[in-house]
Structure formats: structure tokens, C-alpha cells
């Protein structure tokens, strides 16, 4: 009897703690992804505006790549955590970002620190 009661109490407590821990982890992980994707969008929009001032053949390729990156970010399903291709789409965005950085001759090193958010390009 005591074994059964202890099991039930432990199961209920573990479920409660697991849900709270899962929410904390999900919030933290979601914030990191949001920060990363948001910085990519800001980067792409800024460079898009800068490159539009002088148009030539090289810049048109860069602008098309930036348009592609912006489009990918705008289609990213922020509100749907159950989206089955979330990680796959995030990897595609990261790859496109690296491609754009290569075209612009910019180092593509994105890092976030848990204490202080910082970006380095």
C-alpha cells in the first residue's frame, strides 16, 4: 500500500516539476531562436537598403540573395512550435545567411551569451 501511495505521489510531483522545467526550457530555447532569426532579418534588411543605393551586376546578385533570405525569414513559422520542419527551415536560414555573408565578405559568426546577448559578424 505504501509503495503504491509513494509511487502516485512521486509521479504527480515529477509530472508537475517536469512541466515547469519544460516550460522554462522552451521559453529559453524559443528566445534564443527568436534572437538569432531576428538578428538575421535586421542584418538582411540593413544590407538590402545599403546595396540599393548603387546598382551594378555584383550588387544585383547580392540583393537577390538578401531577398531570398528575407523571404525565408518572413515565412518562418514563429507561432507554431509543433511545426515538424522547424529545425530544417532554421538550418536553411542559417545556410542562406552564411552564403550572404560570404558574398558580402563578412565573417558569419553568430553567438549568444546567456548572461549578455551579443552579436559578432
Amino acid at each position: 500500500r505504501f509503495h503504491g501511495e509513494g509511487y502516485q505521489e512521486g509521479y504527480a510531483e515529477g509530472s508537475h516539476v517536469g512541466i515547469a522545467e519544460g516550460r522554462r526550457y522552451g521559453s529559453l530555447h524559443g528566445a534564443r531562436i527568436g534572437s538569432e532569426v531576428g538578428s538575421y532579418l535586421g542584418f538582411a534588411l540593413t544590407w538590402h537598403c545599403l546595396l540599393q543605393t548603387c546598382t551594378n551586376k555584383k550588387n544585383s546578385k547580392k540583393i537577390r540573395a538578401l531577398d531570398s533570405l528575407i523571404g525565408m525569414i518572413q515565412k518562418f513559422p514563429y507561432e507554431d512550435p509543433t511545426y515538424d520542419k522547424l529545425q530544417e527551415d532554421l538550418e536553411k536560414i542559417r545556410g542562406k545567411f552564411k552564403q550572404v555573408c560570404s558574398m558580402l565578405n563578412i565573417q558569419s559568426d553568430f553567438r549568444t551569451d546567456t548572461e549578455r546577448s551579443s552579436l559578432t559578424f
Side-chain angles (χ1 to χ4, degrees):
R1 174 177 150 234
F2 294 119
H3 176 72
E5 288 175 9
Y7 175 82
Q8 291 300 326
E9 288 176 17
Y11 185 83
E13 179 67 22
S15 295
H16 177 71
V17 170
I19 289 171
E21 185 178 337
R23 283 188 182 137
R24 278 193 307 273
Y25 178 79
S27 295
L28 178 63
H29 192 67
R32 285 183 182 161
I33 290 174
S35 175
E36 179 181 359
V37 173
S39 68
Y40 294 159
L41 182 59
F43 172 86
L45 291 172
T46 301
W47 273 101
H48 193 275
C49 288
L50 291 171
L51 292 175
Q52 280 185 334
T53 57
C54 56
T55 57
N56 61 27
K57 187 112 173 141
K58 285 185 180 181
N59 283 349
S60 67
K61 283 185 178 182
K62 294 173 187 176
I63 289 173
R64 280 197 309 271
L66 286 164
D67 285 337
S68 176
L69 177 60
I70 292 167
M72 291 169 74
I73 292 170
Q74 289 173 341
K75 291 177 187 173
F76 191 73
Y78 301 101
E79 294 84 21
D80 186 9
T82 61
Y83 179 63
D84 58 342
K85 294 184 179 181
L86 186 101
Q87 290 297 322
E88 184 180 318
D89 286 354
L90 184 59
E91 288 301 318
K92 287 179 183 177
I93 289 171
R94 288 174 179 152
K96 180 59 79 171
F97 173 73
K98 288 179 182 180
Q99 177 190 15
V100 168
C101 285
S102 176
M103 293 173 81
L104 296 170
N105 294 325
I106 297 172
Q107 185 179 6
S108 63
D109 185 17
F110 178 84
R111 289 183 296 228
T112 57
D113 191 352
T114 55
E115 294 176 13
R116 189 181 103 241
S117 180
S118 63
L119 302 175
T120 58
F121 293 103

